[in-house]
Amino acid sequence: MISEASIIDILNQQRDFFQTGETQSLSFRISQLKLLQQLIKENETAICQALKADLNKPEFEACFSEILLVFKELEFCIKNLKNWIKPQKTRILWQLLPASTKIYPEPLGVVLIIGTWNYPFQLVIAPLIGAIAAGNCTIIKPSEIAPNTSSLIAKLISKYFQPEYIKVIEGGVETSQKLLAEKFDHIFFTGGTAVAKIVMAAAAKHLTPVTLELGGKNPCIVDTDIHVQHTARRITWGKFFNNGQTCLAPDYLLVNSKIKEKLLAEIKKCIQEFYSDNPAISSDYGRIINQKQFDRITNLLNSSKIIFGGETNREQLYIAPTLVENISFAEPIMQEEIFGPILSIIEYTDISEAIALINSQPKPLALYLFSHNKNLQQRVLQTTSSGAVCLNETVMHIGVSSLPFGGVGDSGIGSYHGKFSFDTFSHYKSVLSNPFWLDLKWRYAPYTKGKLSFLKRMLGYY
Ligand code: NAD
């Protein structure tokens, strides 16, 4: 395990390199983003293999959610960075003329990115794009729970980047805590709410700003006014992609009782269509990350009424796509984020019940609503709060670089992707510049009679 002295040494090297100003030029930033693109292109197979070893991730899912998503983010960033880094002129009160004002984005310095294990490549590389774009030096701590991906990231980053610019420090909780004891200029953390509190407390000691990308229980409301087959497909896909280990996966369905049976029949059909009658032998169905998570998820099944699936195999870390119903919020499965291939189903008769239920819980990372009804869409948008909403869709908003990705309340602080990543790792510095040719005396002492009333008149106070 890395020593405290080595961490301080790396940090000092990065601080010195940052001070040279080399990370700040547009050409340097673009060249490093292109290098990251090259790293991904040249090592696509190795990345997919590591994800297969850690999560039995099907190649399609690995490529779609970890490689292509990051690749599109890189393209978007490279295309737009020139505009993002330009100082922006702002309007100024005429009373302050001839001064002028601008906003300069500047890098923060040395930043720390701590990742988690469910999308172990994407969740550290996507924020890294923002850190590079904004002109920072970066230390990355990937998740030890996905060891193959963690060691591959360490190997590749050290091959393509200088350690005084980007460095990966591998390790578990203790390493993470050693890193958190040091002062960074920003900490970007992805993981669970409990650890986020530890991260934020450690950051507070140094007044370090944090971005916290967390999870929660994402509700999925299904109204009667829907295309049943498309609804079922989109829910099944969003839920069982990566074996349900997705922070954005629908956690529980709130389904109108009038459509429940029809929808459930269609979801069962979709599961069979996607993963065959025996998902255990489907090459398109992933696995739970480890036995600890397997035990946690299967324990949740103990108090649930299984209506579909439910087969498990601890040795193979297999949990079948499972539907459970008649769940009340008092049961364990509704007390924590499921984060596995179980979809719980609650029915409602009136939408106000569903909204009240959602609002009685911590604010989720995403909320999904399936309904053609525009009034209902507006009502749900206006009366609930969540990191994001998809109407008649699940999860797909993560792939849109023009949308901020992040939570609210218990599901997180701050956001990233596209320009929002650049903003997260930048400080927007206000700059006022006044020429010498005019210097009115109204603001200077002595505050002789009439100066105050002149000021009030000038600022429109009277
Ligand atoms: P975790 O919170 O246990 O670990 C995340 C990171 O924190 C790891 O790198 C780990 O080494 C470190 N860590 C763990 N314990 C620590 C401690 N005591 N002190 C300091 N560092 C510590 O990961 P997890 O909870 O298993 O991750 C799953 C959670 O992450 C879920 O809630 C999921 O919804 C959420 N998540 C959110 C997003 C998002 O983008 N919002 C993405 C993926 C996962």
Side-chain angles (χ1 to χ4, degrees):
M1 198 201 320
I2 191 161
S3 68
E4 208 179 299
S6 309
I7 289 177
I8 293 171
D9 197 36
I10 295 163
L11 251 168
N12 286 337
Q13 282 175 32
Q14 293 212 344
R15 291 209 181 286
D16 289 347
F17 184 63
F18 181 75
Q19 286 307 326
T20 65
E22 210 178 309
T23 64
Q24 302 227 13
S25 73
L26 177 63
S27 58
F28 180 84
R29 300 186 205 194
I30 296 280
S31 70
Q32 300 305 302
L33 290 167
K34 287 190 172 161
L35 201 55
L36 188 54
Q37 243 176 352
Q38 192 186 332
L39 176 157
I40 293 168
K41 276 245 158 136
E42 290 176 353
N43 298 283
E44 186 192 319
T45 310
I47 297 166
C48 287
Q49 279 167 354
L51 293 165
K52 180 96 189 152
D54 285 330
L55 286 139
N56 195 33
K57 225 174 242 210
E59 189 187 350
F60 180 91
E61 292 190 4
C63 211
F64 185 21
S65 62
E66 308 237 27
I67 294 178
L68 294 174
L69 191 142
V70 168
F71 202 77
K72 293 311 284 176
E73 276 279 306
L74 270 164
E75 264 185 359
F76 186 81
C77 184
I78 290 169
K79 191 166 154 222
N80 292 293
L81 187 57
K82 194 173 164 195
N83 283 332
W84 297 345
I85 69 170
K86 271 188 201 149
Q88 299 149 34
K89 226 173 158 197
T90 69
R91 288 174 66 132
I92 183 166
L93 288 172
W94 65 265
Q95 294 89 338
L96 299 180
L97 293 173
S100 62
T101 47
K102 280 187 182 167
I103 301 170
Y104 282 72
E106 65 176 24
L108 298 170
V110 178
V111 301
L112 173 65
I113 296 173
I114 301 179
T116 188
W117 50 265
N118 57 337
Y119 293 87
F121 185 76
Q122 188 245 107
L123 292 173
V124 293
I125 302 298
L128 176 64
I129 298 170
I132 294 175
N136 299 284
C137 294
T138 308
I139 292 178
I140 299 172
K141 212 297 280 169
S143 173
E144 73 282 12
I145 314 269
N148 295 283
T149 315
S150 173
S151 71
L152 181 68
I153 295 170
K155 193 175 111 193
L156 295 180
I157 291 286
S158 70
K159 183 173 162 198
Y160 287 76
F161 297 94
Q162 311 144 257
E164 62 270 32
Y165 177 48
I166 305 172
K167 170 81 182 162
V168 174
I169 296 180
E170 285 194 275
V173 175
E174 274 182 54
T175 303
S176 190
Q177 286 172 344
K178 276 186 191 157
L179 283 164
L180 289 169
E182 302 304 324
K183 181 171 170 61
F184 286 87
D185 298 297
H186 194 91
I187 297 173
F188 187 104
F189 170 81
T190 306
T193 310
V195 181
K197 290 178 186 171
I198 297 171
V199 171
M200 200 166 170
K205 291 200 175 125
H206 299 291
L207 277 184
T208 300
V210 290
T211 302
L212 304 176
E213 295 285 338
L214 315 178
K217 293 183 81 62
N218 304 314
C220 178
I221 306 173
V222 185
D223 174 41
T224 49
D225 190 2
I226 52 166
H227 187 301
V228 180
Q229 195 189 27
H230 293 178
T231 300
R233 257 194 226 149
R234 293 172 195 181
I235 292 172
T236 306
W237 174 78
K239 178 69 215 185
F240 300 108
F241 194 93
N242 198 28
N243 234 232
Q245 299 163 114
T246 303
C247 55
L248 289 174
D251 189 279
Y252 59 99
L253 284 193
L254 282 165
V255 57
N256 189 305
S257 52
K258 291 190 192 127
I259 197 125
K260 184 180 142 197
E261 290 314 320
K262 225 168 145 186
L263 179 76
L264 290 187
E266 205 59 51
I267 291 179
K268 289 174 194 170
K269 239 198 259 173
C270 283
I271 293 173
Q272 280 156 342
E273 199 185 305
F274 289 6
Y275 309 114
S276 82
D277 285 338
N278 184 5
I281 54 166
S282 164
S283 56
D284 297 331
Y285 191 64
R287 287 294 181 272
I288 301 303
I289 183 83
N290 57 25
Q291 292 194 335
K292 187 176 162 207
Q293 285 294 325
F294 177 93
D295 293 342
R296 182 189 63 77
I297 300 165
T298 45
N299 270 338
L300 295 177
L301 277 179
N302 293 340
S303 57
S304 309
K305 183 180 162 202
I306 297 170
I307 55 167
F308 187 83
E311 302 81 16
T312 63
N313 182 330
R314 192 169 190 265
E315 283 310 299
Q316 290 175 16
L317 299 170
Y318 170 77
I319 302 175
T322 299
L323 306 178
V324 298
E325 77 167 339
N326 295 333
I327 304 295
S328 88
F329 268 86
E331 295 184 54
I333 199 163
M334 293 311 288
Q335 296 291 315
E336 63 177 271
E337 181 182 2
I338 297 172
F339 219 53
I342 305 171
L343 184 61
S344 50
I345 293 133
I346 302 175
E347 58 179 86
Y348 69 85
T349 46
D350 189 298
I351 189 65
S352 31
E353 292 166 34
I355 292 173
L357 241 163
I358 290 168
N359 288 338
S360 70
Q361 300 300 307
K363 293 178 181 180
L365 187 58
L367 182 153
Y368 304 118
L369 168 66
F370 285 83
S371 177
H372 274 132
N373 182 334
K374 296 271 180 239
N375 289 334
L376 180 64
Q377 292 180 356
Q378 282 312 312
R379 182 167 169 198
V380 170
L381 282 175
Q382 279 164 18
T383 55
T384 62
S385 177
S386 55
V389 170
C390 286
L391 300 172
N392 304 325
E393 189 49 90
T394 63
V395 181
M396 289 297 282
H397 62 288
I398 191 175
V400 183
S401 294
S402 57
L403 290 175
F405 179 72
V408 57
D410 284 21
S411 56
I413 296 175
S415 63
Y416 71 129
H417 286 185
K419 168 80 160 41
F420 304 97
S421 297
F422 176 82
D423 294 345
T424 287
F425 289 103
S426 295
H427 164 62
Y428 279 95
K429 183 158 70 183
S430 299
V431 176
L432 180 146
S433 165
N434 207 357
F436 284 121
W437 59 266
L438 184 68
D439 197 43
L440 299 175
K441 289 188 173 171
W442 57 262
R443 64 187 155 125
Y444 299 134
Y447 303 123
T448 48
K449 201 161 175 272
K451 272 195 174 177
L452 184 58
S453 60
F454 173 76
L455 177 66
K456 286 180 171 173
R457 242 190 338 268
M458 186 172 71
L459 292 178
Y461 187 73
Y462 284 133

